[in-house]
Amino acid sequence: MTTSTATAVADLKNLVAGEWVSVGSGEWLDDVDPATGDVVARVPLSAAADIDAAVRAARAALPGWRATSPIVRARALMALRDTLVAHRAEIAELVTIDMGKTLADANAEVGRGIESVEAAIAVPHLLKGENLEGVARGLDVEMVRQPVGVVAAITPFNFPAMIPLWFLPYAIGCGNTFILKPSEQDPRPSQRMAELIAGVEEIPAGVVNLVHGSRGAVEALLDHPGVDAVSFVGSAATARIIASRSAQSGKRVQALGGAKNSMVIMPDADPKLTSSGVMGSSFGAAGQRCLAGSVAILVGTEEEQDRSLRLLVEAADGLRVGPGIDSDTDVCPLVSVAARERVEGEIEAALAEGAELARDGRGDGGAGGAELGPTILDGLSEDSRALREELFGPVLAVKRVPDLAAAIEWSNAGRYGNSAIIFTESGGAAREFRYSIEAGMVGVNVGVAAPISWFPFSGWKDSIDGDLHANGNDAIEFYTRKKVVTSRWA
């Protein structure tokens, strides 16, 4: 990320209390189109004073929004949903230009975000409490849900439209007010969504606020006493820091971290389902997904393993690398030149340890210098980072095992537990896998086991810090506090 002095591109602003305000720090970063290398916007780095202004705006809007009927808040979400649908193509194009992913992938991302809004529209039902009458003579007990307060969401670059919408609709639907700090690498989809939200008259000013920035902005949100809860998605290391800092300041936190997702390929796997599932999982969005399948566990004899590997290599050979805006592109650029250089360094480190290139995707980086083709590594050592750590690029590591039990044991030994996939035609193997695998999201003949928004995004182990996940009923639990009232009347 380079510091910019250019003035020919748009200067982004914060949304505070319904007004677009300039950031006072005077520091900027470039927002770069990874397909071309062109600077498309300048991102301001909010300082503590800028964050304080947003928190104060959210706190000022909280009493009135909390007092708004859940039915009225649901109708506001309906209006938001309609606005997002009307601008879906526009937001998707911004995702492609800012982050790099293909238009088809970006359009699907925005669609998944809209699904979260649709799920959150049910808040009048989801917020209902419980009661027990007559627990003793004349004594009744009831439990009600109330908003937790001001929520800050810190979201990553890889889903700049969807992940903000994992958090925002549930948070405000439950009666909270909201501050979004999007990734500084591709903030324009969030900026545009904030502009659209500001135009939804059913959502009052100050209920949703947007702040731009980098580490300093994050730290200011974590330390601010006016923030009651933090929702985060990012790397495992950062998630642990977010969770620790939030706990130290008494904040509720859900911090979704990284992953190293296994895809078990059984000898009886359907070749078409397997090749399409693995290609989309491993190399879609250039592998920049926390649900990307990054380890192919090949099960069977050496001959069967080799056959599965040939299937994957041949499928990868048919993928086209290029700009996300091009409809013929299968594998988009990484988010930046620095990201491509980092992933290439991981490939070179694995080769230095003795790994073999089943397929080499390295090249000149394309027009913007951020392209990297599908790369498949075989013969990795057991302690190789390519086998155990998240590389966040189009790199598929291969692990060979004799049977399903060994595949499950190897996968479960890893520290992450986001997702695990099996490709098989055997119902018995699928049942054993789904029962025994230590992952929160499981796919059977499905390359990306992303739950629809009515279910939680339920990673395990080091893939999450906190007890409650994004989406589904977990979101309602996270964004509300329970109050139990015990009453006796003469």
Side-chain angles (χ1 to χ4, degrees):
M1 188 74 66
T2 57
T3 302
S4 175
T5 57
T7 57
V9 296
D11 288 350
L12 303 186
K13 295 182 178 182
N14 290 352
L15 178 64
V16 178
E19 301 291 333
W20 292 100
V21 298
S22 298
V23 170
S25 71
E27 296 183 70
W28 303 82
L29 295 176
D30 287 343
D31 178 4
V32 177
D33 179 345
T36 64
D38 294 337
V39 177
V40 293
R42 295 203 313 160
V43 185
L45 299 185
S46 296
D50 303 299
I51 299 302
D52 181 66
V55 175
R56 289 178 181 275
R59 293 222 73 85
L62 181 61
W65 186 241
R66 175 191 168 181
T68 301
S69 163
I71 297 172
V72 175
R73 296 200 300 261
R75 290 174 184 154
L77 293 178
M78 292 179 197
L80 172 59
R81 182 261 180 200
D82 291 344
T83 298
L84 292 172
V85 168
H87 293 270
R88 178 173 176 171
E90 175 192 354
I91 299 168
E93 185 172 344
L94 282 174
V95 171
T96 293
I97 295 171
D98 255 25
M99 185 264 169
K101 65 178 58 174
T102 65
L103 270 175
D105 197 3
N107 188 59
E109 171 187 341
V110 179
R112 278 303 187 103
I114 292 171
E115 279 184 9
S116 288
V117 183
E118 293 169 342
I121 288 171
V123 288
H125 169 69
L126 297 172
L127 287 174
K128 290 188 298 187
E130 301 172 350
N131 73 290
L132 184 59
E133 186 179 55
V135 296
R137 185 178 298 275
L139 198 67
D140 304 325
V141 178
E142 63 178 319
M143 183 275 287
V144 297
R145 297 182 183 276
Q146 295 183 343
V148 70
V150 173
V151 174
I154 302 161
T155 58
F157 76 83
N158 59 327
F159 285 93
M162 183 187 75
I163 291 180
L165 292 175
W166 273 5
F167 302 134
L168 187 154
Y170 290 101
I172 69 172
C174 290
N176 303 282
T177 52
F178 192 80
I179 303 167
L180 172 62
K181 205 300 287 183
S183 170
E184 64 276 19
Q185 296 191 71
D186 53 1
R188 290 199 302 155
S190 290
Q191 175 97 6
R192 183 58 182 136
M193 291 192 297
E195 291 171 357
L196 296 172
I197 291 167
V200 176
E201 62 181 22
E202 293 89 344
I203 302 176
V207 171
V208 175
N209 304 274
L210 174 75
V211 293
H212 293 291
S214 186
R215 180 173 178 173
V218 171
E219 291 178 340
L221 285 168
L222 296 179
D223 293 340
H224 201 294
V227 174
D228 300 296
V230 175
S231 296
F232 171 83
V233 176
S235 71
T238 306
R240 184 62 49 86
I241 294 169
I242 296 289
S244 299
R245 288 280 292 268
S246 297
Q248 288 172 3
S249 57
K251 294 173 175 47
R252 181 175 294 189
V253 62
Q254 55 179 180
L256 284 66
K260 193 66 177 179
N261 305 311
S262 298
M263 299 179 293
V264 175
I265 301 174
M266 300 296 290
D268 68 342
D270 179 271
K272 185 176 180 180
L273 279 176
T274 301
S275 59
S276 63
V278 173
M279 293 303 103
S281 184
S282 299
F283 306 126
Q288 298 169 117
R289 298 174 178 153
C290 63
L291 285 183
S294 53
V295 180
I297 304 181
L298 310 183
V299 178
T301 64
E302 184 176 355
E303 180 181 354
E304 290 169 331
Q305 295 167 359
D306 288 344
R307 185 184 66 207
S308 295
L309 182 56
R310 283 195 301 273
L311 175 73
L312 301 182
V313 172
E314 289 169 6
D317 286 341
L319 299 178
R320 183 180 182 276
V321 183
I325 204 75
D326 187 337
S327 61
D328 294 328
T329 293
D330 300 300
V331 182
C332 67
L334 278 82
V335 71
S336 66
V337 173
R340 190 261 302 165
E341 291 173 344
R342 177 188 55 78
V343 176
E344 284 192 348
E346 296 281 7
I347 295 169
E348 290 160 6
L351 295 176
E353 295 168 353
E356 303 169 6
L357 275 170
R359 188 183 193 281
D360 190 355
R362 293 171 296 175
D364 62 5
E371 292 178 9
L372 178 62
T375 298
I376 303 176
L377 297 171
D378 193 12
L380 291 151
S381 62
E382 275 302 313
D383 59 352
S384 171
R385 282 180 47 82
L387 268 181
R388 286 301 189 185
E389 292 300 325
E390 185 174 52
L391 305 188
F392 229 57
V395 180
L396 177 62
V398 172
K399 172 66 181 175
R400 297 169 179 254
V401 299
D403 51 38
L404 178 59
I408 293 172
E409 180 182 10
W410 188 89
S411 184
N412 286 350
R415 70 187 185 99
Y416 299 106
N418 220 35
S419 174
I421 309 296
I422 187 169
F423 292 96
T424 183
E425 292 297 286
S426 167
R431 188 181 187 282
E432 175 60 26
F433 183 79
R434 61 181 285 177
Y435 178 81
S436 301
I437 200 71
E438 294 175 2
M441 291 167 282
V442 178
V444 178
N445 297 322
V446 174
V448 180
I452 61 172
S453 299
W454 289 262
F455 289 84
F457 193 88
S458 53
W460 288 12
K461 299 161 75 171
D462 276 4
S463 294
I464 187 170
D465 283 277
D467 298 323
L468 294 170
H469 302 86
N471 280 324
N473 287 335
D474 274 27
I476 304 300
E477 291 284 337
F478 183 77
Y479 293 124
T480 61
R481 295 183 292 186
K482 300 181 184 72
K483 181 180 286 185
V484 178
V485 181
T486 304
S487 303
R488 170 174 280 150
W489 299 94

